[in-house]
Amino acid sequence: MIGGLFIYNHKGEVLISRVYRDDIGRNAVDAFRVNVIHARQQVRSPVTNIARTSFFHVKRSNIWLAAVTKQNVNAAMVFEFLYKMCDVMAAYFGKVSEENIKNNFVLIYELLDEILDFGYPQNSETGALKTFITQQGIKGQFQTKEEQSQITSQVTGQIGWRREGIKYRRNELFLDVLESVNLLMSPQGQVLSAHVSGRVVMKSYLSGMPECKFGMNDKIVIDKAGKGGVTDEVGKSDLGGGGSTSGKQSIAIDDCTFNQCVRLSKFDSERSISFIPPDGEYELMRYRTTKDIILPFRVIPLVREVGRTKLEVKVVIKSNFKPSLLAQKIEVRIPTPLNTSGVQVICMKGKAKYKASENAIVWKIKRMAGMKESQISAEIELLPTNDKKKWARPPISMNFEVPFAPSGLKVRYLKVFESKLNYSDHDVVKWVRYIGRSGIYETRC
Amino acid sequence: MVCSVSICAGEIFELKAELNSDKKEKKKEAVKKVIASMTVGKDVSALFPDVVNCMQTDNLELKKLVYLYLMNYAKSQPDMAIMAVNTFVKDCEDANPLIRALAVRTMGCIRVDKITEYLCEPLRKCLKDEDPYVRKTAAVCVAKLHDINAQLVEDQGFLDTLKDLISDSNPMVVANAVAALSEIAESHPNSNLLDLNPQSINKLLTALNECTEWGQIFILDCLANYTPRDDRESQSICERVTPRLSHANSAVVLSAVKVLMKFMEMLPKDLDYYGTLLKKLAPPLVTLLSAEPELQYVALRNINLIVQKRPEILKHEMKVFFVKYNDPIYVKLEKLDIMIRLASQANIAQVLAELKEYATEVDVDFVRKAVRAIGRCAIKVEQSAERCVSTLLDLIQTKVNYVVQEAIVVIKDIFRKYPNKYESVIATLCENLDSLDEPEARAAMIWIVGEYAERIDNADELLESFLEGFHDESTQVQLQLLTAIVKLFLKKPTETQELVQQVLSLATQDSDNPDLRDRGYIYWRLLSTDPVAAKEVVLAEKPLISEETDLIEPTLLEELICHIGTLASVYHKPPSAFVEGSRGVMHKRLPLGGDIGGSPAMGAGFGAAPAVMPASLNAPVGGGLGDLFDLGGGVGMPMGAYIPPKTVWLPAMKAKGLEISGTFARRAGVIQMELILTNKAMSVMTDFAIQFNRNSFGLAPAGPLQVLTPLGPNQTIEVSLPLSTVGPVMKMDPLNNLQVAVKNNIDVFYFSCQYPISMLFVEDGKMERQVFLATWKDIPNDNESQFQIKDCHLNSDAASSKLQGSNIFTIAKRTVEGQDMLYMSIKLSNGIWVLAELRVQAGNPNYTVSTGTGEGRRTTLLKEREI
């Protein structure tokens, strides 16, 4: 198990050091600093073995978090824990920065004592932790006996992520379907790989212990329902109309993973997604699709070398969705060789600039409707070099945001049942929103 | 350096005053300052009594801070730490469960013996506390205590209480109890602490659905240690574990994959469920690649193993392993590795296009690996070889130095796989001769020139140019150059006589490197005695290189599959390679396949049943394989060579009161004759000496018999006599008969004894796989013999490791129709090789052995006693 946990600043100074096991000595703190933080070469692996001690590290801006062990621990668990640790810290005091860590070091020690016992991760849900560990010190002494036992039963309980007795005057929930669409395209326009990784984020402001059921246009469910003759619930749904351009009824989901509140065995047997949600914002599920993806933009590059000191670049982008929809925050990044001396750009729409520090031409367009096309052309002057090494020609990348789900996913329903309190599914105000963003959206040139 | 910063006396004094202040707030701030100093490595142990004084408080925050300090410094101040005990004991009785848990948790972290004694009672109470929060904390505390004082935990019966907690109503308590027990069990490999049986497994599976993500990991990792009784149980566990594959936590997913990969071994391949399961495994593995880069790295290292074990799972998922421009380098390198493993005729075009793309990137390591990958594709997928070669040629045209060098190294391998097929590219390669500065590339190029010398007009010039700086080259290049010039000479003897003279004299006279010198001499003598033979030797047809040279060795792979998700699977090393002490060193194995129907006892692979053989005292031929098995002890225990029990060689009545008994042993490569001399006469014996008659293996004493003091009446002395095998040889009957003469002040006595052949097996008897294969085929039928060993209850792996202790090396293993076939080699001290095949049928205690050696006259004699 985890033998110790250290947090360093970018200089390698220790901000937090908590040792859980006897086999980890003080010299481990220095070993990591010397061999990893101060290492001359770039770190080649997130797991380092120094003198039979293994170090796992993650970096958040300038902060290094390192977990140390001498045993054969579950490596995936250690990294998951380190991420979780970052999340918990962020939930308590915002950005994980040197200043915030220094100002909250007592709190961090307290958290580390609670969520890692003898190197075993314990309940690390912020919802539960916040009931008894706060920045203003510990509530402890003011609690009544009932409160105390409520805390412990929540921390250890089956529904560790939600406390009882939550009340809202207005029961409301927000669903965000956030997708990032990834593409790698050859210069000839052939899709080398494309996938959508999506997340369903829910903000719930619901009273009591509501039982929820979430439905989407999952192909397996729809096909099953179709065969069984069960009435389609799309019609009844008050959440329809996502705004996808495709007329597809259902989508094939390659794989999905769920927040720990979802009953996995029920999903496995019936493919229904049922759960008692945590209070406030959380990620309900993640999914991945690779079939029939709507690629919102197509990039057509044309690079021509004119002699040894000049490049001509022409890039056309085409939007490929309903004309009534608007894409936003469009940015096209065209890499330029390292020996670029000057660039002239002409673009039809938006603004384009050569950024020498980033070795790229950045072309920005605020808004663009569907089924349109735009073009940029640039002349790149090169300094003559005798460097034998060819320019690597990194791919042209794109950023954008569109108001639909490129996977074609649609929320069919989200039903809320709370048997003990007197509100029903109809009383809950529900909102749904679709945002498609570019992930790694690249076209080779 | 931040640590070892000294703290000035003034600061300590100030803190001391603040700690003893009456104001709570001031006290708290002071303790915070102390903790801050402690964090950066300042020594604040001088404040121990002052800080501990603050412990008696009802302010929980202050209390926690003091506890933190205590955990750090209690060990350095054990006597003062006792001061804290009372508060701990009191806190363990507090009305607030959070405080009870805090006290027991902290107490377990204070590793001071005296405190540990006081911990037992509170811990016992906390393990049965009404509040689950306290119980789950106490469960972990048992593991802490076990780490400090294992005996105490056993004596106090905490292990049983911990076992009871597995049936607790609260899932988190169950999870922590499982975690604690698993860790304790690791240091007691045979204790069967977890006592996994279908009932307890069922409990675990139920808790699995209810506990936190971390708890699920503990439970899944524990489940992976269980071996189901049959394929039906295996399937039902798999069914209940598969839902975990959709968990958001990657560690839960990987641990579930581990359980499934392991239990799948037991399912019959024709079962529908088996196919379904295979299909279910692919999507979650692919999803892991969209996690954060560090987790991707862990996932990729594991996928690398999974792909080697079961390539069918991900064979259609090649695209997801394509490298992204922004991937961290460690992710890129791992993806590349998996791409090559998945490369097949169906997807080779795509793979090659990608690899070519990667070869233009910036990171040197990555580019090199990409180029190398192209070569590996050529070797793996024959149909693509031509395309690969032309891609490599394109890359050579880029003239990027390291790309060219890497390309030449892999082209050499391609020539080894497809000889005489692509020699048209040699001209292009030769153009780049000057730019090669890395030894590996230079050596590869020289090899190519030597191999195809007859087709390169100026081969002699090319090689001569290397010869100028011969002494500055690395050994690899020198050896290659020597061989290449000899090849050239044999192909074009007339023009290159001078050149070969030159290289031979450089290698033999001017070099300090023994390898180079020896090789030079061999060539020289070969060339001068028999040029025809030299041609046959040097220009012999080379065996083709195999497809995959970098596969993980199967037994290691099996073990690593059992460690999916852990560090072992990241390092691709067994835990024993990086974990100190006894922990986690136990080797894990996959269960036997369901088709075989092995008995559970054998499937478990642990705790080999000691097979008691009839004592071989009266049997004239000692030291058979059966005896080698006879030693007790489980798999993985250190084992030496088999030593037969001592027998009386010379009874006292035949030797005027001198009784000699003894045996033979092989210790650290030296054959020892171990003798017990007993004086049963009335007078003192002195002046002992020993001599052997000529014998079959040339055994002779390597020194005098060391009996320094006179041997008085009724005294016994144990002597061990090292033997050499360079004495005069004479064939004896039986072969292992040894005639000995012992002299003392009374007389000379003669006796004969028989030594086990096994002590003549030398340590370097592990034959190369290839050589083994070739030799095995060449053994004439007459030289082969077969017989059975009865009643041996070891499985093949145990047998193999046991035999290894006696220098019988397993070269290969395969499983055919439920039979494990072990192929082994033995080398005798006189250089004779013996090859053997051992067939072990699961559940059948009888082994079948076939042996053979290249040299007929010995075989018949060897077979009966040696195996």
Side-chain angles (χ1 to χ4, degrees):
Chain A
M1 284 304 117
I2 299 174
L5 205 137
F6 308 128
I7 303 180
Y8 302 83
N9 65 8
H10 67 286
K11 285 187 260 175
E13 292 165 351
V14 204
L15 304 177
I16 297 285
S17 129
R18 176 77 162 91
V19 174
Y20 294 94
R21 299 269 174 146
D22 221 25
D23 52 2
I24 303 300
R26 185 79 201 175
N27 51 359
V29 183
D30 302 326
F32 182 75
R33 175 187 23 253
V34 173
N35 290 294
V36 179
I37 301 182
H38 291 169
R40 290 233 185 89
Q41 287 167 330
Q42 192 196 351
V43 185
R44 298 304 246 188
S45 158
V47 186
T48 332
N49 193 311
I50 307 162
R52 290 196 148 221
T53 309
S54 299
F55 295 81
F56 300 76
H57 73 265
V58 300
K59 236 187 133 183
R60 287 284 182 274
S61 61
N62 276 330
I63 299 296
W64 297 76
L65 275 90
V68 194
T69 182
K70 282 207 165 184
Q71 299 178 28
N72 182 31
V73 296
N74 188 321
M77 183 185 80
V78 176
F79 279 123
E80 283 283 3
F81 178 80
L82 287 176
Y83 302 137
K84 194 73 181 194
M85 182 69 209
C86 293
D87 291 350
V88 170
M89 287 196 289
Y92 269 94
F93 51 76
K95 195 172 177 278
V96 179
S97 66
E98 182 172 354
E99 201 193 343
N100 279 343
I101 289 174
K102 278 185 170 163
N103 289 338
N104 291 285
F105 81 95
V106 173
L107 170 75
I108 296 175
Y109 276 125
E110 212 178 315
L111 286 170
L112 280 177
D113 200 36
E114 184 59 44
I115 60 179
L116 206 54
D117 191 4
F118 200 44
Y120 295 115
Q122 304 292 307
N123 192 339
S124 46
E125 288 300 309
T126 36
L129 288 172
K130 278 188 171 171
T131 56
F132 66 106
I133 298 178
T134 66
Q135 265 166 303
Q136 289 77 42
I138 304 139
K139 284 180 179 170
Q141 50 267 49
F142 308 108
Q143 291 157 347
T144 63
K145 207 167 159 80
E146 289 73 49
E147 277 174 330
Q148 286 164 3
S149 77
Q150 199 192 323
I151 290 170
T152 59
S153 77
Q154 195 201 334
V155 173
T156 60
Q158 286 186 28
I159 307 163
W161 53 85
R162 188 181 180 93
R163 64 191 169 88
E164 298 222 21
I166 297 172
K167 278 202 183 74
Y168 287 100
R169 207 162 49 81
R170 186 164 123 112
N171 288 299
E172 204 169 12
L173 66 84
F174 299 85
L175 274 177
D176 280 350
V177 177
L178 307 173
E179 293 194 340
S180 89
V181 50
N182 298 275
L183 169 74
L184 184 63
M185 195 176 251
S186 76
Q188 293 75 35
Q190 185 195 355
V191 177
L192 295 174
S193 74
H195 75 272
V196 167
S197 56
R199 308 187 298 143
V200 178
V201 174
M202 182 172 173
K203 266 181 242 167
S204 72
Y205 304 103
L206 301 169
S207 312
M209 285 296 215
E211 178 72 45
C212 296
K213 208 173 162 191
F214 174 71
M216 54 189 177
N217 58 339
D218 177 1
K219 194 164 192 290
I220 298 176
V221 178
I222 305 265
D223 288 358
K224 216 198 276 172
K227 268 182 217 151
V230 181
T231 48
D232 193 351
E233 285 165 279
V234 175
K236 286 195 264 173
S237 164
D238 49 349
L239 296 174
S244 160
T245 50
S246 116
K248 263 187 305 187
Q249 284 304 305
S250 62
I251 63 160
I253 291 175
D254 286 31
D255 189 36
C256 42
T257 58
F258 296 99
N259 183 284
Q260 59 170 324
C261 67
V262 175
R263 294 185 188 89
L264 293 179
S265 39
K266 210 155 179 193
F267 178 74
D268 195 56
S269 55
E270 303 162 26
R271 223 173 157 86
S272 77
I273 303 164
S274 61
F275 53 96
I276 294 172
D279 193 41
E281 184 170 335
Y282 73 102
E283 188 178 285
L284 174 65
M285 71 177 280
R286 283 183 183 220
Y287 57 92
R288 187 166 47 81
T289 71
T290 46
K291 288 201 185 71
D292 305 321
I293 293 169
I294 309 149
L295 297 170
F297 285 94
R298 164 91 203 271
V299 176
I300 305 156
L302 204 77
V303 181
R304 208 160 63 92
E305 288 179 39
V306 189
R308 292 202 56 190
T309 57
K310 203 166 149 190
L311 274 180
E312 276 182 12
V313 179
K314 199 172 105 176
V315 176
V316 179
I317 59 167
K318 284 183 179 169
S319 58
N320 173 35
F321 44 88
K322 261 193 228 163
S324 58
L325 296 174
L326 275 181
Q328 291 183 47
K329 300 178 191 165
I330 301 148
E331 185 186 288
V332 182
R333 185 172 283 265
I334 305 161
T336 57
L338 297 174
N339 55 337
T340 301
S341 61
V343 176
Q344 272 110 47
V345 251
I346 310 159
C347 56
M348 290 155 57
K349 226 181 153 200
K351 278 180 193 158
K353 234 188 216 166
Y354 166 60
K355 295 198 173 165
S357 59
E358 296 165 35
N359 287 312
I361 300 167
V362 180
W363 177 25
K364 287 184 178 170
I365 304 170
K366 276 200 182 122
R367 253 173 242 104
M368 187 165 170
M371 303 320 255
K372 288 267 168 34
E373 96 174 44
S374 190
Q375 182 184 320
I376 184 170
S377 42
E379 272 185 25
I380 302 170
E381 310 265 349
L382 302 175
L383 290 170
T385 58
N386 46 10
D387 194 359
K388 268 191 193 165
K389 213 172 132 187
K390 235 180 60 177
W391 176 46
R393 280 207 186 184
I396 295 173
S397 58
M398 241 198 118
N399 287 312
F400 54 79
E401 199 179 293
V402 290
F404 61 87
S407 69
L409 180 130
K410 272 187 217 159
V411 177
R412 289 169 57 216
Y413 56 84
L414 199 149
K415 290 185 217 157
V416 183
F417 311 94
E418 167 52 278
S419 47
K420 285 184 194 145
L421 300 174
N422 55 348
Y423 73 92
S424 73
D425 187 41
H426 290 289
D427 304 326
V428 181
V429 186
K430 301 168 188 172
W431 307 85
V432 73
R433 173 168 72 160
Y434 297 84
I435 301 174
R437 291 199 183 96
S438 52
I440 295 166
Y441 202 84
E442 295 175 337
T443 307
R444 287 184 180 154
C445 58
Chain B
M1 290 303 248
V2 189
C3 67
S4 71
V5 184
S6 59
I7 184 164
C8 66
E11 218 173 317
I12 291 273
F13 184 76
E14 232 170 72
L15 284 169
K16 224 180 177 91
E18 285 175 41
L19 285 169
N20 291 314
S21 143
D22 299 333
K23 287 186 190 129
K24 253 188 196 162
E25 272 310 299
K26 208 162 188 186
K27 251 186 189 175
K28 202 160 81 183
E29 285 310 307
V31 179
K32 278 190 188 175
K33 281 185 207 162
V34 173
I35 303 275
S37 304
M38 191 175 87
T39 298
V40 295
K42 290 181 187 172
D43 183 14
V44 283
S45 58
L47 295 165
F48 199 90
D50 307 279
V51 177
V52 172
N53 269 338
C54 302
M55 193 173 162
Q56 292 266 7
T57 173
D58 44 2
N59 182 318
L60 196 54
E61 192 184 7
L62 182 56
K63 189 167 255 177
K64 282 191 174 184
L65 289 170
V66 175
Y67 281 180
L68 195 61
Y69 179 89
L70 263 176
M71 285 187 264
N72 249 341
Y73 286 114
K75 224 179 166 188
S76 58
Q77 315 244 351
D79 294 327
M80 290 217 251
I82 292 291
M83 289 161 56
V85 165
N86 251 335
T87 321
F88 278 128
V89 174
K90 217 174 80 196
D91 280 357
C92 286
E93 309 263 332
D94 198 281
N96 186 342
L98 291 170
I99 292 187
R100 292 202 297 275
L102 178 65
V104 76
R105 185 166 69 207
T106 314
M107 233 171 144
C109 295
I110 297 178
R111 306 173 61 91
V112 174
D113 279 342
K114 283 177 194 154
I115 293 212
T116 317
E117 287 164 26
Y118 290 100
L119 174 60
C120 292
E121 275 322 300
L123 178 58
R124 198 185 315 280
K125 268 186 212 152
C126 287
L127 280 167
K128 302 210 161 120
D129 200 285
E130 51 171 21
D131 195 292
Y133 183 77
V134 181
R135 289 201 303 276
K136 72 113 186 165
T137 311
V140 175
C141 191
V142 176
K144 291 179 189 169
L145 190 59
H146 186 269
D147 195 36
I148 306 170
N149 189 343
Q151 196 56 46
L152 188 68
V153 170
E154 272 173 53
D155 295 345
Q156 295 279 334
F158 285 138
L159 293 182
D160 293 322
T161 323
L162 200 53
K163 275 192 215 167
D164 293 343
L165 286 184
I166 291 195
S167 316
D168 199 280
S169 58
N170 184 293
M172 197 156 173
V173 177
V174 178
N176 277 2
V178 166
L181 275 175
S182 302
E183 185 171 340
I184 294 171
E186 257 179 40
S187 47
H188 300 272
N190 298 319
S191 60
N192 197 22
L193 254 187
L194 275 161
D195 187 28
L196 295 177
N197 55 47
Q199 287 76 39
S200 61
I201 291 293
N202 198 30
K203 275 180 207 154
L204 292 183
L205 286 167
T206 314
L208 187 61
N209 290 326
E210 291 162 355
C211 59
T212 65
E213 45 194 334
W214 314 116
Q216 297 186 18
I217 299 169
F218 304 151
I219 292 179
L220 287 167
D221 283 352
C222 172
L223 270 179
N225 289 327
Y226 176 66
T227 308
R229 287 167 310 169
D230 51 28
D231 52 333
R232 254 202 259 134
E233 190 187 2
S234 186
Q235 178 175 347
S236 84
I237 295 175
C238 286
E239 277 165 359
R240 291 177 69 178
V241 167
T242 29
R244 298 298 120 198
L245 293 175
S246 312
H247 202 286
N249 187 314
S250 312
V252 175
V253 176
L254 269 177
S255 290
V257 169
K258 164 164 59 190
V259 175
L260 297 174
M261 282 292 287
K262 195 177 166 193
F263 289 10
M264 227 159 124
E265 288 290 309
M266 293 190 67
L267 300 177
K269 310 276 172 293
D270 48 358
L271 195 71
D272 284 347
Y273 181 70
Y274 179 82
T276 323
L277 197 54
L278 272 183
K279 269 189 217 131
K280 276 193 175 166
L281 276 171
L285 287 173
V286 173
T287 298
L288 290 176
L289 298 183
S290 47
E292 289 83 349
E294 291 87 1
L295 271 173
Q296 274 187 54
Y297 174 73
V298 174
L300 286 164
R301 292 293 283 174
N302 280 289
I303 289 172
N304 200 326
L305 298 172
I306 293 168
V307 164
Q308 287 184 54
K309 180 75 190 156
R310 296 191 179 279
E312 63 270 34
I313 294 178
L314 288 166
K315 67 179 175 203
H316 299 302
E317 303 289 348
M318 170 63 89
K319 275 189 179 175
V320 299
F321 297 103
F322 284 0
V323 171
K324 291 182 192 135
Y325 193 71
N326 295 326
D327 282 336
I329 182 69
Y330 50 81
V331 168
K332 283 185 177 175
L333 293 173
E334 292 307 317
K335 281 187 174 173
L336 199 52
D337 230 19
I338 296 170
M339 277 174 71
I340 303 162
R341 296 210 192 282
L342 290 176
S344 68
Q345 206 184 331
N347 56 26
I348 196 74
Q350 259 184 328
V351 174
L352 270 182
E354 280 295 307
L355 292 176
K356 200 175 171 187
E357 199 72 36
Y358 304 159
T360 61
E361 285 216 26
V362 271
D363 190 288
V364 178
D365 279 355
F366 179 61
V367 171
R368 281 174 181 274
K369 201 163 180 179
V371 176
R372 211 162 265 234
I374 298 176
R376 276 167 69 185
C377 284
I379 291 165
K380 193 171 175 202
V381 186
E382 190 167 350
Q383 293 81 354
S384 75
E386 197 157 350
R387 238 189 342 223
C388 294
V389 171
S390 75
T391 310
L392 287 169
L393 280 181
D394 287 351
L395 290 173
I396 288 176
Q397 300 300 357
T398 63
K399 303 277 178 201
V400 179
N401 193 285
Y402 55 84
V403 174
V404 174
Q405 309 212 35
E406 208 63 45
I408 287 182
V409 173
V410 294
I411 286 182
K412 184 204 81 177
D413 288 343
I414 295 177
F415 282 156
R416 284 292 307 273
K417 170 82 179 174
Y418 311 107
N420 303 322
K421 220 170 159 189
Y422 299 107
E423 59 267 35
S424 55
V425 307
I426 293 173
T428 323
L429 301 185
C430 289
E431 286 166 22
N432 294 287
L433 215 55
D434 300 333
S435 63
L436 308 179
D437 52 13
E438 290 162 22
E440 207 185 346
R442 285 171 84 86
M445 191 63 220
I446 293 168
W447 183 88
I448 294 171
V449 174
E451 191 65 20
Y452 293 92
E454 68 275 27
R455 285 172 230 188
I456 306 171
D457 295 336
N458 60 342
D460 48 343
E461 281 169 40
L462 293 175
L463 293 176
E464 200 172 355
S465 67
F466 283 101
L467 215 48
E468 282 159 22
F470 189 77
H471 290 299
D472 302 329
E473 300 283 4
S474 72
T475 314
Q476 189 185 11
V477 181
Q478 289 176 332
L479 286 169
Q480 210 51 264
L481 196 53
L482 174 63
T483 308
I485 292 181
V486 172
K487 281 183 193 163
L488 173 69
F489 172 72
L490 290 168
K491 288 174 178 173
K492 300 178 181 173
T494 46
E495 311 108 85
T496 56
Q497 198 130 22
E498 222 170 279
L499 194 62
V500 82
Q501 285 289 350
Q502 208 183 338
V503 77
L504 286 175
S505 84
L506 277 171
T508 53
Q509 283 158 27
D510 301 342
S511 170
D512 297 333
N513 185 323
D515 285 349
L516 185 64
R517 230 167 29 212
D518 286 356
R519 199 188 278 194
Y521 279 126
I522 290 172
Y523 284 141
W524 204 324
R525 283 180 198 147
L526 258 174
L527 292 174
S528 54
T529 45
D530 188 353
V532 181
K535 214 165 191 167
E536 271 171 31
V537 172
V538 179
L539 302 180
E541 219 170 278
K542 279 161 280 296
L544 299 182
I545 56 172
S546 64
E547 270 181 24
E548 298 246 11
T549 45
D550 61 330
L551 286 178
I552 293 176
E553 192 258 321
T555 44
L556 177 61
L557 182 63
E558 290 208 350
E559 189 179 351
L560 292 179
I561 290 286
C562 298
H563 286 293
I564 283 179
T566 70
L567 263 180
S569 69
V570 174
Y571 292 146
H572 288 186
K573 283 180 192 160
S576 53
F578 59 91
V579 177
E580 273 167 18
S582 60
R583 266 195 190 159
V585 181
M586 188 167 54
H587 292 282
K588 293 188 180 177
R589 291 188 51 235
L590 290 175
L592 290 176
D595 316 303
I596 299 173
S599 65
M602 297 204 60
F606 306 123
V612 181
M613 300 280 295
S616 53
L617 290 178
N618 49 353
V621 184
L625 182 65
D627 290 325
L628 298 180
F629 279 123
D630 205 357
L631 273 171
V635 185
M637 304 237 312
M639 278 177 295
Y642 167 69
I643 303 168
K646 290 199 170 73
T647 49
V648 177
W649 285 333
L650 184 66
M653 49 188 289
K654 277 192 180 175
K656 301 187 178 163
L658 176 65
E659 187 187 76
I660 299 180
S661 55
T663 184
F664 293 87
R666 187 182 183 91
R667 296 186 204 278
V670 179
I671 305 170
Q672 307 259 1
M673 184 180 201
E674 300 189 338
L675 298 161
I676 297 176
L677 309 177
T678 312
N679 183 353
K680 292 195 171 169
M682 304 300 287
S683 57
V684 178
M685 295 180 177
T686 53
D687 302 325
F688 284 94
I690 193 164
Q691 209 164 19
F692 294 175
N693 197 358
R694 290 195 221 181
N695 53 70
S696 320
F697 290 92
L699 286 174
L705 191 62
Q706 300 277 342
V707 187
L708 299 175
T709 49
L711 196 62
N714 269 332
Q715 267 191 335
T716 294
I717 188 169
E718 286 201 44
V719 207
S720 82
L721 178 73
L723 304 183
S724 69
T725 53
V726 293
V729 176
M730 181 176 81
K731 193 179 155 192
M732 301 293 291
D733 193 23
L735 196 68
N736 58 342
N737 199 13
L738 182 67
Q739 295 178 338
V740 186
V742 173
K743 177 190 99 77
N744 62 8
N745 58 339
I746 298 166
D747 205 341
V748 182
F749 311 103
Y750 299 97
F751 64 89
S752 67
C753 54
Q754 283 163 354
Y755 48 86
I757 293 278
S758 64
M759 73 177 195
L760 297 167
F761 300 169
V762 293
E763 274 70 19
D764 62 346
K766 188 162 185 136
M767 212 179 228
E768 289 287 334
R769 250 182 129 99
Q770 253 83 11
V771 182
F772 185 93
L773 279 175
T775 320
W776 184 258
K777 276 187 223 143
D778 288 342
I779 296 174
N781 278 348
D782 306 354
N783 285 7
E784 282 187 28
S785 58
Q786 223 186 53
F787 58 95
Q788 285 205 334
I789 296 168
K790 296 225 160 58
D791 275 316
C792 201
H793 294 274
L794 289 171
N795 66 9
S796 58
D797 281 19
S800 160
S801 64
K802 186 150 275 187
L803 288 171
Q804 174 127 16
S806 294
N807 295 336
I808 301 174
F809 297 91
T810 306
I811 308 299
K813 177 186 167 181
R814 65 193 175 114
T815 305
V816 178
E817 298 166 348
Q819 282 191 335
D820 282 347
M821 324 259 274
L822 296 174
Y823 292 91
M824 329 216 233
S825 74
I826 301 156
K827 191 179 165 194
L828 293 173
S829 56
N830 57 359
I832 290 178
W833 288 90
V834 181
L835 309 184
E837 179 196 62
L838 183 67
R839 292 184 198 207
V840 183
Q841 183 140 29
N844 182 350
N846 296 342
Y847 291 6
T848 309
V849 186
S850 323
T851 58
T853 99
E855 310 197 33
R857 68 202 154 88
R858 291 281 157 86
T859 330
T860 44
L861 295 158
L862 275 173
K863 63 152 195 203
E864 31 176 325
R865 56 183 58 98
E866 180 255 302
I867 279 189

